[in-house]
Structure formats: structure tokens, C-alpha cells
């Protein structure tokens, strides 16, 4: 059983609910962003490139691509968990269901509404699934590993990987086709710059600084030993 930041125990049931709720919200939000036709999330631009090349749905492309990326866990010695698989299977299925149920929209106001809802919903979903601490996506695992081992800011790492994913997907689809179909737009760049800080804001009071966990006992605070009379030095009268 894990604990939250205040030290209170967190049950496995609560963590699973966080994981399922977060990943479901991620999938639905991906579908909303597709229907907004203003630009996709950076990783979904890459997933769309895979879908365009193979004829798969976006959801299937998400699942297969992320499954292949799990190979990156081997050199980093990251142990996958329940959340690792759930975090790409559930969003993939959720995205396809949302796209099936939600028809294309028209009108600038409707598209902006879907864009805002999709951005906020996806960021909240990522924060929830990460807080479940049951395993992460390959990209998030790399971010967490670099932040923990090197002290880099997870927010900045997320922004950099989003920009790289956006560029790779844009080139794979074809610059002209990507823009014409609405897969890449001004919103894509905005999503690459906004989602990382928003996830960090939802997870921690100071998202720009990674603070590794520290033990409660440090060298600067040695454990006091009682004197022969049974009293501690700090409790002795002055």
C-alpha cells in the first residue's frame, strides 16, 4: 500500500480507480481534440502518421506504437506495471469510441470548445494516472527516470519530448498533408507547450522543480540517544 504526500495510506482500490478514471479521460479527450480539427497532441500526431501508413484506426495505432516503445524500458531498467499497459490500451479504445460517437463539428466556437475541453481533460487524465503510481507509459517512464537520476525538471522534459514527437509526426505524415487535414496546426504547438506545465501544476505545488524523495533521517539530523539517566540531551533542563 502506497502513501500520499501527507503520509496517509492509499488503498489499491483507490489507485486503480485513479488509473482507470485518468486513462478513460485521456482517451475521450484525444477524441475531442481530433474532432476540434485544430491540431492534435504531439504524440497523437505521430500515432496519426502510423495510422495513415497502415490503415489502422487512431486507437489501434496508439496501442501498437506504445507497445513497441516498451522496448525502451530495457536499457533504462524500468519495471512496467499495471498502469503501463492500461495507460495506452484504455486511451486507445476510448479515443476510437469517442470518435465513433461524436460526429464532426462545424463552427469556430464549437471547435474552440472541444479544443479547450480536450486540453484540460487530457492534462487532468495524465495527472490522475500518474498519481495512481501503478506504472507509466514509455515516454513518461523515461521522463521520470531522467528527472529522478539527473534532477531535470519533468515539465521541461515533457515539453521537449512533445516538440520532438510533433516534429517527427509532422514529417512522417508530410508537412502539407498534416496541415491540410488539421492533424497539425497552431493548436499542436500550443498543446506541446501547455500540457506539460498543466500536468505539473495539477500534480505538485511547484511543478518547475523536481524534488526527489528524502528519508526522514538525514546526516544533518542525527538520531538522539538517551543518556544513562534515561533523558535525551535535547530535553535536559538549562
Amino acid at each position: 500500500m502506497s502513501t500520499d504526500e501527507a503520509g496517509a495510506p492509499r488503498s489499491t482500490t483507490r489507485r486503480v480507480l485513479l488509473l482507470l478514471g485518468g486513462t478513460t479521460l485521456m482517451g475521450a479527450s484525444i477524441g475531442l481534440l481530433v474532432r476540434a480539427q485544430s491540431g492534435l497532441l504531439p504524440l497523437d500526431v505521430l500515432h496519426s502518421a502510423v495510422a495513415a501508413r497502415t490503415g489502422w484506426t487512431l486507437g489501434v495505432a496508439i496501442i501498437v506504437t506504445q507497445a513497441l516503445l516498451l522496448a525502451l524500458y530495457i536499457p533504462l531498467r524500468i519495471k512496467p506495471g499495471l498502469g503501463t499497459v492500461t495507460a495506452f490500451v484504455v486511451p486507445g479504445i476510448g479515443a476510437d469510441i469517442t470518435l465513433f460517437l461524436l460526429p464532426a463539428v462545424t463552427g469556430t466556437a464549437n471547435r474552440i470548445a472541444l479544443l479547450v475541453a480536450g486540453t484540460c481533460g487530457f492534462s487532468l487524465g495524465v495527472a490522475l494516472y500518474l498519481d495512481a503510481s501503478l506504472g507509466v507509459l514509455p515516454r513518461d517512464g523515461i521522463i521520470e527516470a531522467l528527472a529522478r537520476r539527473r534532477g531535470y525538471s519533468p515539465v521541461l522534459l515533457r515539453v521537449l519530448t512533445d516538440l520532438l514527437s510533433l516534429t517527427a509526426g509532422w514529417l512522417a505524415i508530410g508537412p502539407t498533408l498534416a496541415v491540410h487535414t488539421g492533424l497539425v496546426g497552431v493548436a499542436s504547438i500550443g498543446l506541446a507547450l501547455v500540457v506539460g506545465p498543466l500536468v505539473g501544476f495539477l500534480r505538485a505545488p511547484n511543478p518547475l522543480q523536481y524534488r526527489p524523495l528524502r528519508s526522514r533521517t538525514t546526516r544533518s539530523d542525527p538520531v538522539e540517544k538517551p543518556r544513562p539517566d534515561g533523558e535525551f540531551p535535547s530535553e535536559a533542563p538549562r
Side-chain angles (χ1 to χ4, degrees):
M1 181 181 295
S2 66
T3 59
D4 57 20
E5 292 182 358
R10 295 172 56 186
S11 67
T12 301
T13 301
R14 180 171 180 268
R15 295 166 66 194
V16 171
L17 290 176
L18 282 175
L19 174 63
L20 294 178
T23 52
T24 301
L25 188 55
M26 288 164 61
S29 300
I30 291 171
L32 295 181
L33 291 171
V34 172
R35 289 296 185 235
Q37 299 179 5
S38 301
L40 299 182
L41 291 159
L43 268 179
D44 290 328
V45 174
L46 185 59
H47 295 147
S48 295
V50 174
R53 300 277 182 176
T54 59
W56 297 336
T57 65
L58 177 60
V60 172
I62 290 173
I63 294 172
V64 174
T65 302
Q66 293 299 318
L68 294 175
L69 288 176
L70 283 177
L72 296 175
Y73 271 20
I74 298 175
L76 292 174
R77 298 180 181 180
I78 300 175
K79 184 179 180 180
L82 173 64
T84 304
V85 177
T86 305
F88 61 80
V89 172
V90 173
I93 296 173
D96 278 351
I97 292 176
T98 302
L99 291 173
F100 176 77
L101 296 176
L102 183 65
V105 299
T106 58
T108 303
N110 291 331
R111 294 168 63 183
I112 292 176
L114 290 181
L115 176 62
V116 173
T119 302
C120 295
F122 183 81
S123 300
L124 178 58
V126 172
L128 291 175
Y129 113 81
L130 289 177
D131 284 344
S133 300
L134 290 173
V136 295
L137 288 166
R139 190 273 299 272
D140 294 324
I142 295 171
I143 290 174
E144 292 289 332
L146 290 175
R148 183 172 59 252
R149 298 173 187 177
R150 301 292 183 180
Y152 298 145
S153 164
V155 171
L156 295 179
L157 289 173
R158 182 177 290 276
V159 171
L160 289 175
T161 55
D162 278 346
L163 290 173
L164 289 174
S165 299
L166 175 59
T167 303
W170 178 60
L171 293 175
I173 296 173
T176 303
L177 180 61
V179 174
H180 179 72
T181 55
L183 297 176
V184 176
V186 176
S188 299
I189 301 175
L191 289 168
L193 298 176
V194 168
V195 170
L198 187 52
V199 171
F201 174 77
L202 292 169
R203 295 196 68 205
N206 186 7
L208 294 179
Q209 181 179 2
Y210 177 75
R211 295 181 178 179
L213 296 176
R214 298 179 180 178
S215 61
R216 295 186 178 182
T217 301
T218 61
R219 293 184 180 181
S220 60
D221 297 316
V223 177
E224 287 187 309
K225 295 183 179 180
R227 298 186 309 192
D229 58 5
E231 292 186 355
F232 288 89
S234 60
E235 298 176 349
R238 296 183 180 179

